[in-house]
Amino acid sequence: GSLERRRCLYLHTGRAWCQMVEVLLAALILVCSSVSCGSAGGYTGLPALGGIYYYQYGGAYSGFSGADGERAQQLDQRFYLLKLPIARAAMAVGGCLLVFPCVLILVGVLRVPWHFPAWLLIECTLYIVIAVGTVPALYYFLHSLLGVYNSSVCKEREQLYQSKGYQGFWCSLHGAEIAAGLLGCMAAMAYLLSAGLAVRDYRTVHEQKQKPLQL
């Protein structure tokens, strides 16, 4: 009835659209973070994954023999373990950022801000805190990854694969990690926009509640 229509109207508001964009950005951050840690076991683990690299390089240990193959496996495992905590932390943050706007969309559909306008101020505060906290989080993410890529493990691994003619094992940020950083910046701007919209909606709700009821 009319109640359901009023609830659906929230999904057409600017704040709801902004929150849906935040859901999309958080999902992309989560995907990019998982890609950063996706090559479990590195080169030697690719046959188990059945990925495109396995077919491109012609199978595990192709071009390696004896001690070189064992060393490649050890370096892959050590490199993977170095990146694992960073990727897990990024995935955890992406998951939290995915849940947060979903909860706020549900709160808006249930018309909680109309019955409790102060919620919009709480929402605004949370958005500002998250937007400000995103900056050091991005710095930690990129700084930690650069530390891994500048490590002796990564350098030795890169040289070993290059000596066998393989490309793609460079010690530098790859596309998914750069994309995660850019998406994080976009998410921070979306949070600030949502904070401004929450303040605007608070004023609107407050003004409407001050008007006398018209029959």
Side-chain angles (χ1 to χ4, degrees), residues 12-75:
H12 297 279
T13 63
R15 202 164 91 255
W17 278 100
C18 198
Q19 289 167 350
M20 286 186 278
V21 170
E22 293 163 9
V23 171
L24 176 61
L25 292 174
L28 292 175
I29 291 174
L30 187 59
V31 171
C32 291
S33 302
S34 64
V35 170
S36 177
C37 188
S39 57
Y43 176 77
T44 57
L46 291 173
L49 297 177
I52 58 175
Y53 293 101
Y54 173 60
Y55 300 104
Q56 178 181 351
Y57 296 139
Y61 300 106
S62 177
F64 290 94
S65 61
D68 285 341
E70 295 180 359
R71 186 57 181 167
Q73 183 179 20
Q74 293 174 359
L75 291 173

Side-chain angles (χ1 to χ4, degrees), residues 29-30 32-38 80-94 140-141 144-145 177:
I29 291 174
L30 187 59
C32 291
S33 302
S34 64
V35 170
S36 177
C37 188
Y80 169 72
L81 292 176
L82 285 175
K83 291 184 68 176
L84 183 60
I86 306 170
R88 283 182 173 175
M91 291 171 64
V93 172
Y140 171 78
F141 174 70
S144 300
L145 283 176
E177 293 162 348

